[in-house]
Amino acid sequence: MSEMRKISYRDAVREAMVEEMRRDEKVFLMGEDIGVYDGAFGVSKGMIAEFGPERVRETPISEQAFVGAGVGAAITGMRPIVELMFSDFMTVCYDQIINQAAKMHFMFAGKVSVPMVIRTAAGGGTGAAAQHSQSLEQMYLHVPGLKVVVPSTPYDAKGLLKQAIRDNNPVIFLEQKKLYNVKGMVPDEDYTIPFGVADVKREGTDVSIFTYGRMVQMSLDVAEKLAEEGINVEVVDLRTLSPLDTNTIIESVKKTHKAVIVHESVQFGGFGGEVAAQITDSEAFYYLDAPIKRVGALYCPVPFNPTLEAETFPTPAKIEAAVRDVL
């Protein structure tokens, strides 16, 4: 019988990797400073001691080179977990991800698979400035062949990462930096969470908030505050953006008749527009009693100044204002 333990998001990610590496010798980790240094955010602490430098492979500071090597390893039978120190650095190796990893299964008529996970720290809130604080998930979502996952809790992080490692397709696994120290209950038994299944983190009847990543907890805090006034907010954690659980979105809107979409990435051109389109293109459109509202980051680079940075992103006040607006 499994036991539940309270562990950090960081430890949940590490447990997923360690357990999968013990389970399958084809799984290995590669990236910058992941060995002796334990990773930029301490996620791979102690892993090199157990698995050695062959399976916890330190790479040069060249994302083009080691992401390309990961693609090659995947198509020849290995299951690499490639860690990019910051998600912003995906722009350096875009060809390897977009033109190679995402397309090979299709271009070789299904004869080649790319079982590869690209793990990376995304988002802001840490004062890391414009080149180390972006949320670029909408860029990956536009590319057929990539799966995109953004877990919000330790439980989801472990279950979804194990699912990603076992998947035969390239998966972009985004770990928002502000979540690494967040703790939650995680079972000690083996489990996975299927892709394409959203999680209703809070049931409600008056308005639906659709969100993911660190905005989930912020939205839950707003929901608890509004509950004191008798406003019943449903919070839906999308968890996997591709594949997307459109059915849960539609059913939630049909129940509450109102929708607010919250994400940390820039609002203009962001994923919220796609969620809104999924609603308006479905029968849920006829249930809406108010226009759909989006809450995203301002259309500007992320400032280094902490006060300005905080104002750039969604805040509880902005989310609350959007909810009140649709009510």
Side-chain angles (χ1 to χ4, degrees), residues 204-222:
T205 55
D206 296 331
V207 56
S208 300
I209 295 180
F210 302 105
T211 187
Y212 54 90
R214 77 177 177 113
M215 292 295 111
V216 171
Q217 188 56 55
M218 194 178 291
S219 298
L220 287 169
D221 291 343
V222 170

Side-chain angles (χ1 to χ4, degrees), residues 93-204:
C93 48
Y94 228 43
D95 181 66
Q96 285 79 355
I97 299 169
I98 304 305
N99 286 328
Q100 309 306 328
K103 295 178 172 59
M104 281 187 168
H105 184 71
F106 175 81
M107 294 179 70
F108 287 93
K111 295 179 180 179
V112 170
S113 294
V114 190
M116 172 185 184
V117 180
I118 299 178
R119 286 183 42 250
T120 186
T126 62
Q131 295 173 332
H132 300 74
S133 302
Q134 298 170 91
S135 297
L136 301 174
E137 56 268 19
Q138 64 273 22
M139 296 172 66
Y140 326 131
L141 287 162
H142 191 67
V143 180
L146 297 178
K147 297 184 178 183
V148 182
V149 180
V150 194
S152 68
T153 67
Y155 178 86
D156 289 350
K158 184 173 181 179
L160 288 167
L161 182 53
K162 289 170 80 74
Q163 180 74 16
I165 294 168
R166 299 179 192 185
D167 200 289
N168 286 327
N169 302 279
V171 179
I172 308 296
F173 195 89
L174 301 172
E175 303 159 13
Q176 292 191 310
K177 306 178 194 74
K178 291 284 283 185
L179 294 176
Y180 278 131
N181 292 327
V182 171
K183 292 189 175 183
M185 301 305 291
V186 177
D188 59 6
E189 67 178 357
D190 180 47
Y191 71 97
T192 60
I193 297 172
F195 292 162
V197 180
D199 186 34
V200 180
K201 289 288 196 283
R202 187 184 193 279
E203 296 275 355

Side-chain angles (χ1 to χ4, degrees), residues 28-67:
F28 71 98
L29 175 66
M30 63 191 299
E32 299 163 352
D33 294 335
I34 60 168
V36 176
Y37 189 66
D38 294 333
F41 297 93
V43 177
S44 54
K45 184 177 180 179
M47 289 180 64
I48 195 168
E50 176 174 352
F51 298 105
E54 285 293 305
R55 296 186 68 196
V56 180
R57 300 186 71 94
E58 302 268 20
T59 66
I61 305 175
S62 175
E63 287 78 12
Q64 284 181 318
F66 68 78
V67 172

Side-chain angles (χ1 to χ4, degrees), residues 3 19 44 49 119 202 275 295 307 312 327:
E3 293 184 5
E19 290 175 15
S44 54
R119 286 183 42 250
R202 187 184 193 279
V275 177
V295 183
T307 304
T312 300
L327 291 172

Side-chain angles (χ1 to χ4, degrees), residues 209-256:
I209 295 180
F210 302 105
T211 187
Y212 54 90
R214 77 177 177 113
M215 292 295 111
V216 171
Q217 188 56 55
M218 194 178 291
S219 298
L220 287 169
D221 291 343
V222 170
E224 290 302 317
K225 178 184 177 183
L226 292 174
E228 297 174 2
E229 301 178 26
I231 300 171
N232 198 349
V233 179
E234 180 151 294
V235 178
V236 179
D237 182 357
L238 300 176
R239 299 198 296 194
T240 66
L241 310 187
S242 178
L244 180 66
D245 184 358
T246 307
N247 288 336
T248 295
I249 295 170
I250 291 170
E251 291 305 312
S252 182
V253 172
K254 288 167 68 174
K255 179 171 66 170
T256 68

